[in-house]
Amino acid sequence: MTKPFIFQSVFVVLLMFEVRAESPRKSYDVLLNLVEVSWKYTQTNPDTAIILSLQGIEISKRQGHLQLESRFLSNMAEAHRTKGNYSMAIELLLESISIYEKISDAPGQASTLNRMGAVYLEMGQIDTAIDYFMRALVKYESLRDLVGSSRSLNNLGACYFYEGDFRKAIDFFSRSLDVELLNNNKNGVCDSYVNIGSALFGLDEFSQAESYFMKALKLAEELKDSSTIGSLYNNMATLKMEQGDYKNAISYFHNALDLAYKSDNNENIRQFLLNIANAYEKSGEYRLAFENLRVYIGFRDSTLNEQNQHAIAEMTTKYKSEQKEKENQLLKKNGQIKDLELDKQKAILYGVSAALLLMAVLGLLIWRQYRQKIKANTILQEQRDTIAAQKKDLTDSIVYARHLQDAILPETNRLSHFFTEHFLIYLPKDIVSGDFFWLMETEEDLYLAVADCTGHGVPGAMVSMVCHNALNRSVSEFGIKETNRILDKCAELIEQTFSANRQSMKDGMDISLMRLTKEPGKIQWSGANNPFWIIRKGEVEVESLKPNPQPIGSFFGRSPFHAHECLLNTGDCIYLFTDGIVDQFGGPNGKKLKAVGLKKILLQFHHLPHEEQRLQVMSAFENWKGDVEQIDDVCLVGIRV
């Protein structure tokens, strides 16, 4: 046993003695102390934490302390999570939640739901993790618990970050940052800055990522958090490498290396030495690259030798133990050989008898299984026929729903009444779609929008009807003209529609909304998560109008939408689209197309006539997608002024 384990074992005995001997109030305080001690060991010594928690559960049950019993269950689950025993961790957390629900302990429920999400996130089951984190967030917000709300928002951001959906990750990280600023929690603010910067780095938005990393670095230095400072130096160095700024990358790597030496973190030291060598090599300073590589190899070999010596000592001890065991077994076998020879003769006789009996039983079982198989095949065929009929009815219903959706949404040829050169790419993932485009003409203005509703297929189509109706009402019924005020009104109407059902709180849409005024070439535009792109005639860059980073629908920390106004010249091309095209996986490495990929495609073909441009963009998208399944609805409108 290790010394900490012996100490905790003695501590448990002392605690049990105190619990038996002291008053109820004193015994409760002792158990509470044991909860804190067991939690401290969940990461560093999970076996000790499990033993302490089991003792605590036993005493809590005996004395009727349900809340403490539930906390011990949660601690034991955390210890199993540390050991990688995820199924056991989930089982214990479910038992803990059951107790919290029994005693109506809402904070305990929220905390345990958050831990369930963490377990599923480590298992890679991100959709399930999101569900648990969202349930925890609802609980924390109902309790007005700022710390818990921020923790859940941050965890949701982490889920989308690991999925590669950096925009949604930034949304949740930003909401977590707002709560931490409101709570004046500098550590939480620092973590949020780091997370937002990392997500922006994933979007290749390096200048913004650097801004957030520097904010985090300033706070970490103020807090004297050397671990976070080292991580940020490494992040900044990696960012500078991506930008080709090798001089500053090397400087940041050296800063990170100095901190790694101070904390004796051998793994980080090896990594930073190798990174510095690579940075010198990329900058063309081959002598310095060679010198740092030599230092890296020497350090690596020295640490590996220490590890190897330790492993050899363990193997030697294990070998001697095994040899001693083999000698003991050999002595036992010599005395057993004679007994085995007699037993062998008996075994042959019994074996022949058993074989004959087994053959008779097998024959009977085979005949019986044959009869059952014929009966099962008959039942299976009947079930297949029933399923086929049900599938046909379901498909017919969805196709009919598509006809209803087509009847409500504008006809594609209506665009021709207003724009001479235009094209539309509309690719639903399923029969019906959550993406739609919207067109409305008033006496003074013309409105065009491309929207992406929550989900796809039948659920997405149902949400699209609600969102389509909200746009119509905002303009026709309420007489709103400005694009930003239209989006504000849509958000209000959609929240009212879904407010009756808490489970639908995430429903809504992302949108790109354009208004053409009577003044020639003048447009007004607003967006929710989806941008607006312009390729000026004769230019080789894409001009992008940035949307508000929030959806239309329920959103924590919502702010009013803003409007952009700009002038278009003859020959300029404009593009409105949903995120289905940029989020599509494909290419040689199976990665997302991203905004930078779509920009390259449009810049390559924007000068072509509209129909040929549509075909070339479609072909480029299909080539990128290849054999990969389409992951979302796709809608893109292109117009030449």
Side-chain angles (χ1 to χ4, degrees):
M1 293 185 184
T2 62
K3 289 186 178 179
F5 182 80
I6 294 172
F7 171 77
Q8 287 303 324
S9 299
V10 174
F11 189 60
V12 172
V13 174
L14 292 175
L15 282 173
M16 290 178 65
F17 177 78
E18 288 187 31
V19 167
R20 293 190 183 99
E22 297 290 346
S23 65
R25 178 68 248 178
K26 179 66 175 179
S27 66
Y28 182 86
D29 292 340
V30 173
L31 277 175
L32 196 61
N33 190 22
L34 182 58
V35 167
E36 300 300 328
V37 173
S38 66
W39 171 252
K40 289 179 181 179
Y41 275 84
T42 55
Q43 303 296 322
T44 57
N45 196 334
D47 290 327
T48 300
I50 290 170
I51 292 172
L52 294 173
S53 298
L54 284 170
Q55 295 284 358
I57 290 168
E58 180 185 349
I59 299 169
S60 298
K61 282 183 175 179
R62 191 164 60 245
Q63 299 195 356
H65 297 307
L66 291 176
Q67 186 188 54
L68 290 180
E69 179 186 347
S70 188
R71 290 183 65 180
F72 280 119
L73 285 167
S74 294
N75 287 358
M76 190 156 62
E78 186 67 19
H80 279 290
R81 172 190 165 197
T82 301
K83 297 180 68 175
N85 300 332
Y86 298 121
S87 59
M88 178 59 72
I90 291 170
E91 182 179 337
L92 291 166
L93 288 172
L94 288 172
E95 188 176 351
S96 175
I97 290 174
S98 177
I99 295 175
Y100 280 132
E101 290 174 346
K102 181 178 179 180
I103 61 177
S104 301
D105 185 339
Q109 293 175 48
S111 175
T112 310
L113 287 169
N114 221 16
R115 292 189 186 181
M116 285 285 285
V119 174
Y120 278 107
L121 181 58
E122 285 192 16
M123 294 171 66
Q125 298 183 24
I126 295 180
D127 289 340
T128 306
I130 289 172
D131 180 64
Y132 276 104
F133 287 142
M134 189 60 72
R135 288 168 61 187
L137 177 61
V138 171
K139 286 280 186 188
Y140 280 128
E141 288 182 342
S142 68
L143 294 167
R144 301 186 182 278
D145 184 339
L146 294 179
V147 175
S149 297
S150 175
R151 186 184 303 124
S152 297
L153 288 167
N154 183 75
N155 291 343
L156 285 163
C159 289
Y160 288 109
F161 183 90
Y162 292 136
E163 277 194 328
D165 193 342
F166 299 117
R167 286 294 179 199
K168 284 187 178 178
I170 290 171
D171 286 345
F172 283 105
F173 289 148
S174 298
R175 290 168 64 184
S176 177
L177 173 62
D178 291 340
V179 177
E180 296 294 1
L181 288 169
L182 184 64
N183 205 30
N184 196 27
N185 179 9
K186 291 186 178 182
N187 285 295
V189 171
C190 182
D191 292 340
S192 296
Y193 283 152
V194 173
N195 292 341
I196 295 171
S198 299
L200 288 166
F201 182 85
L203 291 170
D204 297 337
E205 297 181 10
F206 299 128
S207 60
Q208 292 189 57
E210 181 176 357
S211 174
Y212 276 96
F213 285 152
M214 293 307 294
K215 289 179 182 178
L217 184 59
K218 182 179 178 181
L219 262 181
E221 289 173 344
E222 181 182 333
L223 296 167
K224 298 181 180 180
D225 185 349
S226 59
S227 176
T228 302
I229 293 171
S231 298
L232 284 164
Y233 283 149
N234 184 56
N235 289 354
M236 286 296 300
T238 306
L239 187 149
K240 292 299 180 182
M241 288 288 287
E242 287 289 330
Q243 293 178 316
D245 185 357
Y246 303 118
K247 180 179 179 181
N248 281 318
I250 292 167
S251 175
Y252 279 118
F253 276 136
H254 274 296
N255 290 341
L257 180 62
D258 290 341
L259 288 177
Y261 274 123
K262 290 178 182 178
S263 60
D264 290 327
N265 190 325
N266 290 340
E267 183 177 349
N268 282 354
I269 293 171
R270 286 196 299 269
Q271 187 59 54
F272 295 150
L273 284 170
L274 184 60
N275 290 345
I276 292 170
N278 289 335
Y280 277 125
E281 187 269 332
K282 286 184 177 294
S283 66
E285 298 185 59
Y286 300 111
R287 183 182 62 79
L288 291 173
F290 175 75
E291 289 179 0
N292 279 274
L293 185 61
R294 185 172 59 185
V295 174
Y296 159 75
I297 292 171
F299 185 83
R300 181 198 64 187
D301 291 345
S302 66
T303 54
L304 284 177
N305 284 337
E306 291 177 6
Q307 294 172 3
N308 289 339
Q309 289 173 7
H310 181 68
I312 289 169
E314 286 186 348
M315 290 172 63
T316 301
T317 303
K318 186 176 179 181
Y319 173 75
K320 290 180 178 179
S321 177
E322 288 178 352
Q323 287 296 108
K324 185 68 176 178
E325 181 64 24
K326 286 179 180 179
E327 290 175 4
N328 293 335
Q329 290 177 357
L330 185 61
L331 291 173
K332 291 180 181 179
K333 285 182 179 180
N334 289 333
Q336 294 172 350
I337 289 175
K338 291 182 179 180
D339 293 336
L340 286 174
E341 289 178 351
L342 293 173
D343 291 341
K344 183 177 179 182
Q345 293 175 1
K346 292 179 181 179
I348 292 172
L349 179 61
Y350 294 151
V352 171
S353 301
L356 293 173
L357 179 60
L358 181 61
M359 289 175 65
V361 173
L362 284 175
L364 181 62
L365 288 174
I366 290 170
W367 177 79
R368 185 180 178 185
Q369 287 177 350
Y370 173 72
R371 292 289 302 274
Q372 290 176 342
K373 185 175 181 180
I374 293 175
K375 184 178 179 180
N377 286 339
T378 303
I379 296 172
L380 184 61
Q381 186 59 47
E382 292 175 356
Q383 291 174 341
R384 285 176 178 170
D385 295 341
T386 302
I387 292 170
Q390 291 174 345
K391 182 180 179 182
K392 183 178 183 302
D393 291 341
L394 180 60
T395 303
D396 291 344
S397 298
I398 296 174
V399 170
Y400 183 68
R402 172 63 183 272
H403 294 324
L404 292 177
Q405 187 181 34
D406 290 343
I408 295 172
L409 299 179
E411 297 180 359
T412 56
N413 58 15
R414 280 199 63 196
L415 288 169
S416 303
H417 295 199
F418 306 102
F419 307 107
T420 305
E421 287 198 65
H422 72 276
F423 71 86
L424 168 68
I425 295 176
Y426 184 58
L427 302 172
K429 181 181 184 296
D430 302 307
I431 298 174
V432 289
S433 173
D435 285 10
F436 67 91
F437 73 96
W438 176 76
L439 191 65
M440 174 169 281
E441 182 182 16
T442 66
E443 293 182 358
E444 300 179 357
D445 303 303
L446 176 68
Y447 295 91
L448 173 64
V450 168
D452 176 10
C453 296
T454 306
H456 48 74
V458 174
M462 294 175 69
V463 177
S464 74
M465 295 298 97
V466 175
C467 297
H468 184 274
N469 182 55
L471 286 166
N472 285 338
R473 289 184 64 195
S474 298
V475 177
S476 301
E477 181 180 338
F478 295 98
I480 302 173
K481 295 181 179 181
E482 296 79 8
T483 54
N484 57 320
R485 293 183 58 226
I486 291 172
L487 296 190
D488 289 332
K489 191 64 179 178
C490 283
E492 177 186 338
L493 293 172
I494 291 169
E495 279 197 67
Q496 290 175 0
T497 302
F498 292 123
S499 62
N501 184 356
R502 177 175 284 183
Q503 293 300 321
S504 298
M505 63 177 293
K506 296 183 288 184
D507 292 329
M509 66 175 170
D510 298 338
I511 190 170
S512 177
L513 172 63
M514 177 181 71
R515 169 193 177 199
L516 279 76
T517 63
K518 280 189 174 182
E519 186 175 340
K522 183 177 180 181
I523 67 164
Q524 186 183 61
W525 176 86
S526 296
N529 285 330
N530 289 344
F532 180 79
W533 288 356
I534 305 171
I535 302 180
R536 303 285 185 181
K537 183 179 180 181
E539 297 293 330
V540 292
E541 292 183 353
V542 175
E543 180 181 333
S544 178
L545 302 185
K546 293 187 177 181
N548 284 67
Q550 59 187 22
I552 303 291
S554 179
F555 183 76
F556 183 82
R558 171 177 300 287
S559 60
F561 286 93
H562 54 254
H564 299 266
E565 293 186 356
C566 66
L567 294 175
L568 298 176
N569 301 313
T570 301
D572 291 346
C573 293
I574 58 175
Y575 299 93
L576 300 87
F577 56 91
T578 60
D579 62 4
I581 189 167
V582 295
D583 286 345
Q584 179 61 47
F585 289 97
N589 298 318
K591 294 184 177 180
K592 287 186 178 182
L593 178 62
K594 293 188 178 181
V596 65
L598 180 58
K599 286 180 180 179
K600 288 180 181 178
I601 293 172
L602 295 178
L603 285 170
Q604 184 178 359
F605 301 117
H606 76 279
H607 63 282
L608 298 175
H610 62 279
E611 179 59 23
E612 188 175 349
Q613 186 180 169
R614 183 184 71 84
L615 293 174
Q616 291 292 351
V617 173
M618 279 282 293
S619 175
F621 175 71
E622 291 296 331
N623 289 336
W624 173 265
K625 181 165 71 73
D627 296 330
V628 178
E629 180 184 359
Q630 184 174 329
I631 65 167
D632 198 359
D633 303 320
V634 172
C635 185
L636 184 149
V637 174
I639 298 170
R640 192 189 310 277
V641 180

